Amino acid sequence: VQLQASGGGLVQAGGSLRLSCAASGRTKSSTTMGWFRQAPGKEREWVSTIRWGTGGTYYADSVKGRFTISRDSAKNTMYLQMNSLKPEDTALYYCAQSLRGTLYTWGSYDYWGQGTLVTVSS
């Protein structure tokens, strides 16, 4: 499986961005896909996860109400709509896939994209 993340960029505080993560091959319904982020000098942080089969979604408290995760099964692509962005959202954002249906633990994700940089200016 190869994951290709895109959509990062520079945006002012309060602005929006949409990240995409395209997966090669067919994604099984038992799979979860998630977004993680890592800011300079900080540990990797879980952001959001979606269950591929049911579409169930989960969010970190820090992004709840501002970010929306979704997927397009036909395109085998996951999205992260990020609204009301804050400077503290600045990070390298990674998409990942878990064959075991993991939600939050980055060490249990099996495949990772290359990361896309989001920079939010104040």
Side-chain angles (χ1 to χ4, degrees):
V1 174
Q2 291 185 330
L3 303 178
Q4 181 70 40
S6 61
L10 174 63
V11 64
Q12 288 188 333
S16 298
L17 282 174
R18 189 177 82 154
L19 306 183
S20 299
C21 177
S24 64
R26 179 179 171 272
T27 302
K28 295 182 179 180
S29 60
S30 57
T31 294
T32 51
M33 290 190 68
W35 290 98
F36 292 78
R37 66 186 181 186
Q38 189 165 17
K42 295 189 176 181
E43 293 188 352
R44 192 170 301 188
E45 174 189 23
W46 172 72
V47 175
S48 183
T49 295
I50 188 165
R51 293 193 182 278
W52 201 257
T54 64
T57 59
Y58 307 84
Y59 298 94
D61 288 343
S62 58
V63 306
K64 199 173 294 183
R66 300 188 298 123
F67 291 10
T68 302
I69 192 171
S70 62
R71 91 278 195 232
D72 184 331
S73 299
K75 295 182 179 179
N76 224 24
T77 300
M78 173 180 66
Y79 304 97
L80 186 68
Q81 177 67 43
M82 305 186 295
N83 297 330
S84 302
L85 282 161
K86 304 175 181 180
E88 51 263 44
D89 293 318
T90 295
L92 193 59
Y93 282 71
Y94 297 91
C95 62
Q97 184 181 104
S98 170
L99 301 178
R100 290 160 280 185
T102 300
L103 293 182
Y104 318 113
T105 308
W106 69 266
S108 296
Y109 276 73
D110 302 287
Y111 302 102
W112 290 83
Q114 82 286 6
T116 184
L117 182 62
V118 172
T119 304
V120 184
S121 63
S122 56

